[in-house]
Amino acid sequence: FGAAAVGLDVFLDTGNSLCEPISGYPVMVAEYEAVCGILPKELCEEYAKCKNEQTDIFCLYDLLGTKYADADWFSRLSLVSFRSVGKKQGFLLGFRPDDFSVKGKTAVVVVALSDDKLGGRRNFNAILNPWVLDTPTDNEKSKGRKNIRDTNGKIKKRLVG
């Protein structure tokens, strides 16, 4: 958000097909502690309060919408549903960053916040959906380029309008 930036140690997880449900953008799950420095102060305060009170993520989203609906950053938030081993289903608060790049490639992505340490003994603090590497940038989308995926998530063809 704004001029703030953060570098993350990313694990490219080929089993991660998590996408934001409305936009369809691929999701990168990142440790909250690793990205909180770039988030708006109000968002961090409410997120920390929610975490301490063990408040449901839906309550946090509603609270943010009630108090900060006019803030320029609120429209970039979303709820991302997920399923994983050991947890039947859950939701993460996600945001769309101003810019995102990996290996020199700019991409459009939603960053979902996780309270858990992701890397364990490995040294990474974010898990990247491999589709990010295939996702057209906003500039490419404005030119009509988009990916068509098969039911397994593999790109069948790229369309240019």
Side-chain angles (χ1 to χ4, degrees), residues 9-76:
D9 295 313
V10 177
F11 174 69
L12 183 66
D13 182 3
T14 58
N16 174 4
S17 59
L18 191 58
C19 290
E20 196 273 333
I22 295 173
S23 68
Y25 291 140
V27 171
M28 177 179 73
V29 179
E31 293 176 5
Y32 169 75
E33 294 297 326
V35 298
C36 66
I38 66 167
L39 299 174
K41 179 181 155 198
E42 303 89 352
L43 173 58
C44 293
E45 290 171 356
E46 297 296 346
Y47 190 91
K49 192 184 318 177
C50 170
K51 184 174 151 182
N52 290 338
E53 297 172 3
Q54 296 182 336
T55 304
D56 187 280
I57 196 76
F58 292 108
C59 293
L60 171 65
Y61 191 75
D62 285 343
L63 175 69
L64 291 171
T66 301
K67 289 175 107 174
Y68 304 106
D70 293 334
D72 61 341
W73 50 264
F74 181 75
S75 64
R76 296 165 50 191

Side-chain angles (χ1 to χ4, degrees), residues 1 6 28 30 35-36 38-40 43 73 76-78 80 92-98 109-113:
F1 290 89
V6 65
M28 177 179 73
V35 298
C36 66
I38 66 167
L39 299 174
L43 173 58
W73 50 264
R76 296 165 50 191
L77 299 180
S78 61
V80 178
L92 299 170
L93 184 64
F95 70 93
R96 198 176 62 256
D98 291 326
V109 66
V110 171
V111 179
L113 305 175

Side-chain angles (χ1 to χ4, degrees), residues 86-143:
K87 186 164 186 170
K88 190 171 184 174
Q89 184 174 359
F91 290 87
L92 299 170
L93 184 64
F95 70 93
R96 198 176 62 256
D98 291 326
D99 294 301
F100 178 83
S101 64
V102 60
K103 294 190 173 200
K105 180 188 186 307
T106 301
V108 180
V109 66
V110 171
V111 179
L113 305 175
S114 173
D115 294 331
D116 297 331
K117 287 283 186 201
L118 300 175
R121 287 182 280 165
R122 297 190 209 155
N123 291 325
F124 62 86
N125 51 14
I127 300 172
L128 187 64
N129 178 332
W131 295 359
V132 169
L133 302 176
D134 297 328
T135 303
T137 64
D138 275 340
N139 186 36
E140 292 170 322
K141 284 187 177 201
S142 70
K143 293 178 183 174

